[in-house]
């Protein structure tokens, strides 16, 4: 029975969900999809969107903190590398965006879910591009990255929205909730 955020079953449920989302995040970082028309992306931020939608903030922060810590110590969880040197280079903005996006409140009405997923992607991409600009010193490279990342961010936001709709309908039919 889930009475409030301090009861043990609630905490255990979210701890298990955070672990499952951490696994999905790690696996999603390793999946590179090429959908044609020069649109390629990983499923990393799709996992982040779903995790942040279903987890309370302390579990969001714990999950993303664990993901980043694993990568910093050299576990190959990131898409392009591992270790402190990689973490603190050009992808630092994206990683910072992962952490800051955890603070975006989950919408109270489902009609705003798509905007929520778009906001998560916007924070991650904006901070990522900002740090890329700092590391690269040129506006052309970060602008090119935004143009390359935008279709994937839109596609992943829409996929997350459909996944949430499907999960919520399934749970509603079963008389349950997450």
């Amino acid at each position: 029975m889930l009475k409030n955020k301090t009861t043990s079953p609630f905490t255990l449920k979210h701890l298990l969900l955070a672990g499952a989302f951490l696994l999905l995040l790690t696996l999603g970082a390793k999946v590179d999809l090429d959908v044609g028309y020069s649109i390629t992306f990983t499923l990393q931020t799709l996992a982040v969107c779903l995790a942040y939608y279903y987890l309370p903030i302390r579990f969001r922060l714990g999950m993303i903190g664990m993901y980043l810590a694993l990568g910093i110590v050299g576990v190959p969880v990131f898409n392009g590398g591992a270790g402190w040197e990689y973490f603190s280079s050009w992808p630092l903005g994206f990683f910072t965006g992962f952490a800051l996006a955890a603070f975006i409140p989950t919408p109270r009405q489902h009609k705003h879910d798509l905007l929520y997923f778009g906001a998560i992607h916007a924070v991650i991409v904006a901070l990522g591009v900002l740090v890329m600009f700092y590391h690269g010193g040129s506006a052309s490279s970060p602008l090119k990255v935004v143009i390359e990342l935008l279709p994937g961010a839109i596609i992943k936001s829409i996929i997350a929205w459909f996944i949430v709709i499907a999960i919520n309908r399934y749970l509603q039919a079963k008389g349950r909730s997450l």
Side-chain angles (χ1 to χ4, degrees), residues 123-176:
V123 167
I124 293 169
V125 169
L127 287 169
V129 168
L130 183 66
V131 172
M132 285 184 76
F133 175 72
Y134 171 77
H135 276 278
S138 167
S140 64
S141 179
L143 182 59
K144 181 181 173 192
V145 171
V146 168
I147 292 168
E148 290 173 356
L149 293 178
L150 191 58
I154 292 169
I155 291 167
K156 289 183 280 185
S157 294
I158 293 169
I159 291 171
W161 184 46
F162 279 119
I163 289 171
V164 165
I165 289 170
I167 289 172
N168 288 343
R169 284 185 181 167
Y170 173 79
L171 292 173
Q172 188 177 27
K174 296 288 186 184
R176 297 181 183 170

Side-chain angles (χ1 to χ4, degrees), residues 103-123:
F103 291 98
I104 300 172
T106 305
R108 293 177 189 240
Q109 297 178 358
H110 292 301
K111 66 182 179 179
H112 301 296
D113 292 348
L114 183 58
L115 294 174
Y116 173 72
F117 299 131
I120 289 172
H121 280 101
V123 167

